[in-house]
Amino acid sequence: MSTPYLKIDHVDKSFRRGAATTEVLKDINLVIDKGEFVSIIGHSGCGKSTLLNIIAGLTPVSAGAVLLENKEVNDPGPERAVVFQNHSLLPWLTVYDNVALAVNKVFGRSKPRAERHDWIMHNLDLVQMGHARDKRPAEISGGMKQRVGIARGLAMEPKILLLDEPFGALDALTRAHLQDSVMQIHAALGNTMIMITHDVDEAVLLSDRIVMMTNGPSARIGEVLDVRLERPRRRLDLVSDRTYIAAREAVLKFLYERHRFVEAA
Amino acid sequence: MSVTTVEDIERSSEMGQAVLKNATDAKVVALPAAKAEVVSLSPALAKPLAQRVMSWFTPVLQNLVPPLVTVALILLFWQIAASGPQSSLPPPTKIWEEARDLITEPFYWAGTQDIGLGWRILVSLQRVAIGFGLAAVVGVLVGALIGQSVWAMRGLDPVFQILRTVPPLAWLPLSLAAFRDSQPSAIFVIFITAIWPVIINTAVGIRNIPQDYRNVAQVLRLNQIEFFFKIMVPSAAPYIFTGLRIGVGLSWLAIVAAEMLTGGVGIGFFIWDAWNSSRLSDIIVALVYIGVVGFILDRLVAAIGAIVTRGTAVN
């Protein structure tokens, strides 16, 4: 058996606050192959963002380990770039400079200046944001900000791109546009991507596999669904596709039948 | 409650069909294409000159007239109040007579002690520049330390909270004893006065850096120096400039008091000297100078802040 690309091995996570300990994640095991697109879906508060932060290295594990190409992940690094939910662009920098900050840090030594510039513009063009290079984040729309956030993540040439509810704050039309963009990028570059989402359609449309999480506390991986849909996928073709409908139904049933979100009283 | 009968439903469906029929019968009436009249805007130059001048002038007038009226009223009231034979303070007219050279010629030079108020202000400003400049640099660095490190905050913050309430002049005897010279003592008083708001505001600004920016820095593996210049300072800049603005105001307050005691050439000593020779009119003119310069200093720091923090304040 070959070594897995990313291995999440018996990960537990509990937060301690004074004497009280809250167990958020319990015994998470997951293996992700190179080039795979995996979505993690679950009700809010189930710890899916915590899981992403653990993979990113932003949150330490309580037990278990995350292994990327057989090396343990202990701290954040550009080989696991994160596209944050609220874009997290630095408002005092232009679009170009936001991406440049990442590119100069990651490739400052390995690439000459002109090459870095080309690489920044290449990534901005990839998300169709080359035209707005001199704008500041406050001057562009939410969808455009998220595009730049994706460009910044891609520009680090990460082994894994982690997307934390990247389209959560966007309207439906903008979201569809960005989903298409991410699919194109995934098809063109073959990146390994892990996306947190709470949108069933989004998960089915984009993913090779959907990881469904049970409700917290002590959330586990409930089921993993293989989405056997041909790529490239087209939104309109899928509407009546049987596999698509079945996958969608499986996720919906998991979320709303077996693991209904119980509002804390 | 009304009971919907089958008849009702039938009737309503009939009506619906009727509507639909009508809708299909409807002819598509082409709306006559509205001939948009092209209204040629008269170019701005064509406006009458008086109108253009007025449009530029009105806001200026609106902002300038109220304060001028206020000043005129104050002067008038003062003139009336101070005109009596028993009055201990000079009225504006008398000040104009006695201290006209101070008002009209700020930069005359007639010997080391007989110089215009402009020169004296410049000397004071120089001291403020050195003292405040040091306070800004040290204050931002110490504030960054306190903002970043919980232990530095726990250790230093209580001490700073006590020290910052010490009035500026209370430091003067100590600093005179330490430096044995009036010039560095005055600068030290400025420094120690201005540094506290800079430290405290910087620390608050740094504690308020959003976690998102810290995450970005962590993912990029920025080192401490890169983090300081690329994330910390720009993100905390609005807070830092608030501190600097309070600091520059306090230093201008402190310099006048410090110079009264240390002597020399500054504007503070001028007031003390004028008091000793009972030149009340000179004192009043000097007060106006101090006020105007303080106002300009404040606006200057605010303007620099507005330029530097452009973009940051928006989010």
Side-chain angles (χ1 to χ4, degrees), chain B residues 12 15 25 50 54 75 114 128 154 159 176 192 195 212 215 222 230 237 252 267 273 277 280-281 286 306 314:
Chain B
S12 64
M15 276 165 64
D25 286 348
M54 277 313 288
L75 287 176
D114 188 14
V128 168
R154 286 185 192 159
V159 180
L176 278 172
I192 207 78
I195 197 168
D212 299 330
N215 286 346
L222 296 183
K230 296 197 166 150
W252 193 236
I267 187 80
D273 194 39
S277 40
L280 286 183
S281 301
V314 181

Side-chain angles (χ1 to χ4, degrees), chain B residues 67-151:
Chain B
L68 283 178
V69 170
T70 316
V71 170
L73 284 176
I74 290 173
L75 287 176
L76 183 70
F77 178 74
W78 178 7
Q79 182 71 35
I80 294 164
S83 285
Q86 299 294 313
S87 167
S88 52
L89 294 176
T93 45
K94 197 173 168 206
I95 293 170
W96 178 250
E97 280 164 31
E98 287 182 1
R100 199 164 146 189
D101 53 337
L102 286 180
I103 299 165
T104 53
E105 287 176 76
F107 289 101
Y108 75 88
W109 187 286
T112 43
Q113 270 308 317
D114 188 14
I115 58 177
L117 280 180
W119 293 114
R120 290 178 191 276
I121 293 267
L122 280 182
V123 171
S124 299
L125 274 178
Q126 195 192 352
R127 290 185 182 130
V128 168
I130 299 170
F132 176 70
L134 283 174
V137 173
V138 178
V140 169
L141 290 176
V142 175
L145 180 70
I146 295 181
Q148 264 307 77
S149 151
V150 178
W151 284 107

